[in-house]
Amino acid sequence: MTLLTDDLRERIAVPYAELHALIADLFAERGTPPHRAATAAAALCHGDLCGFDSHGAFNLTRLYLPLFASGRTAPDAEPVIRTDLGACALVDARRALGLWAAAEAMDSATDRAARHGIGLVSVRGATHFGCAGFHALRAAERGMIGVVASNCGGQRIARPPLGALAMLGTNPLSVAAPALDDHPFLLDMSTTVVPTGKVRTAASSGETVPAGWLSDDAGGAVTDPARFDAGSAHLRWLGGDPATGAYKGYGLGLVVELLSALLPGAGLGPAPAALEGTGGPHGTDDDIGFFVLAIAPDLLRPDGEFAADARTLFRTLVDCPPAAADGEVRYPGWWEAERARECHRTGVPLLPQVHRELVELGLGTGA
């Protein structure tokens, strides 16, 4: 176990295998089949491997274990295909843990794409799936393009521009594709400026957040992250103000709602219940919808043409000269791959409070 520093915060490095085994065991103890518990644990650990504290082990005691305790997720759920058209399918997850249900949906989508060139799995009745990028990467690992999006079910976090009530979730979107060796392209983003987890990890560490993440009712900048859960600060859309592009983030959020929730018939953010809000976040993230798409370029362009052109595209970006002597031009997913490789070698760096929680759950005891 190693002490590290990151942005002036002390961290404790834990071997990946140990972290993954603990989380998989915790999910299995609550009734998740072992192979699915292992997938779910890998999905959760992906956040810590890639530097997304907000979607890693930080959420174990705050989100996932409470889902089991409350009965809002069914550990032994068996998703059911409601419609199957070959290249596309509609799946009812039946309250399955999204961490593994989204991964299995992408595996189904890639199998379909291998036969038809494209595979779409539309999912309703799911729960939170962690990092969208983990699931999109499963397509890239098979030489395909993966697209994953999710709404937040009935949980409403962000207000429409000029609106007084929260209507939508953070509605993440991810696209992954083969790029340079061991460095796939991976875009993994919320359509709000940041996901709520980044605000909460900052609050738990006693830090401030950059101006532009949060605003008060009058539109003024808020840098105290604790004010978000207190209800006096609101998450902003990508683009910031209407004059600087908020409608782009808001529009992307609606695209995710359309594809991931309206298409499969999952819980909607903009539903009549949203009008009963008081201005702050409200509702629960039940009946979440997923949009899971895989495209097999080798069926459209044979002989490895796509992979060769992808290497040219991404190598050209990496070769772009930096504007400053100490800068490096890279593409989304590059640094995450670098960090994951280092974490596998030296251990996964956890915030002290997260490490304490995991020790209380059995980390380091072989339990």
Side-chain angles (χ1 to χ4, degrees):
M1 201 171 293
T2 308
L3 291 179
L4 305 171
T5 57
D6 179 30
D7 298 330
L8 303 181
R9 293 177 294 180
E10 181 183 83
R11 289 173 179 259
I12 301 169
V14 173
Y16 174 80
E18 186 177 335
L19 178 65
H20 178 271
L22 172 70
I23 295 173
D25 286 347
L26 290 170
F27 289 156
E29 288 169 3
R30 285 156 177 79
T32 306
H35 69 287
R36 286 173 164 167
T39 299
L44 189 58
C45 291
H46 172 87
D48 296 299
L49 283 175
C50 295
F52 306 131
D53 290 338
S54 59
H55 285 62
F58 174 84
N59 270 341
L60 182 65
T61 61
R62 292 164 181 80
L63 175 58
Y64 295 106
L65 296 187
L67 277 176
F68 287 102
S70 66
R72 289 172 55 212
T73 189
D76 58 349
E78 193 60 51
V80 174
I81 297 176
R82 299 299 184 189
T83 304
D84 192 336
L85 302 177
C88 57
L90 171 65
V91 173
D92 183 349
R94 304 173 73 199
R95 293 187 295 117
L97 188 63
L99 290 167
W100 64 257
E104 291 191 5
M106 178 53 83
D107 292 345
S108 175
T110 56
D111 288 343
R112 294 167 188 275
R115 296 191 298 271
H116 303 286
I118 191 166
L120 167 64
V121 178
S122 184
V123 182
R124 68 188 184 211
T127 61
H128 196 280
F129 68 7
C131 291
F134 173 84
H135 310 294
L137 275 175
R138 297 174 83 85
E141 290 166 356
R142 293 185 63 175
M144 299 184 188
I145 298 169
V147 183
V148 175
S150 171
N151 86 328
C152 292
Q155 186 179 43
R156 293 128 191 146
I157 297 167
R159 302 174 174 187
L162 308 182
L165 300 176
M167 293 275 173
L168 290 164
T170 55
N171 288 19
L173 171 67
S174 180
V175 180
L180 299 182
D181 291 345
D182 302 319
H183 291 79
F185 170 81
L186 177 60
L187 174 69
D188 189 351
M189 54 173 273
S190 62
T191 50
T192 50
V193 173
V194 291
T196 56
K198 281 190 174 292
V199 177
R200 289 177 173 138
T201 53
S204 72
S205 299
E207 301 173 335
T208 58
V209 298
W213 285 19
L214 302 170
S215 62
D216 59 23
D217 283 335
V222 174
T223 59
D224 177 4
R227 289 183 56 184
F228 174 74
D229 278 327
S232 61
H234 314 292
L235 203 57
R236 305 184 70 184
W237 293 104
L238 282 173
D241 297 319
T244 59
Y247 282 101
K248 295 180 181 179
Y250 172 53
L252 283 172
L254 284 172
V255 167
V256 170
E257 195 78 20
L258 167 67
L259 294 175
S260 65
L262 189 59
L263 179 62
L268 295 172
L275 300 175
E276 300 171 5
T278 59
H282 64 105
T284 58
D285 54 348
D286 296 306
D287 194 11
I288 289 175
F290 303 153
F291 174 82
V292 181
L293 176 69
I295 303 169
D298 286 345
L299 271 66
L300 298 172
R301 301 181 60 196
D303 303 322
E305 292 176 354
F306 172 83
D309 284 350
R311 285 192 293 271
T312 298
L313 186 162
F314 290 104
R315 171 51 60 190
T316 303
L317 287 171
V318 169
D319 289 344
C320 177
D326 59 349
E328 292 180 285
V329 177
R330 296 293 184 264
Y331 53 84
W334 177 282
W335 293 118
E336 290 84 348
E338 290 284 299
R339 179 186 169 98
R341 181 180 293 106
E342 180 66 13
C343 288
H344 278 295
R345 188 179 70 83
T346 63
V348 182
L350 301 176
L351 293 169
Q353 66 269 29
V354 174
H355 182 261
R356 286 194 297 271
E357 292 167 1
L358 295 178
V359 168
E360 291 174 0
L361 290 168
L363 182 69
T365 65

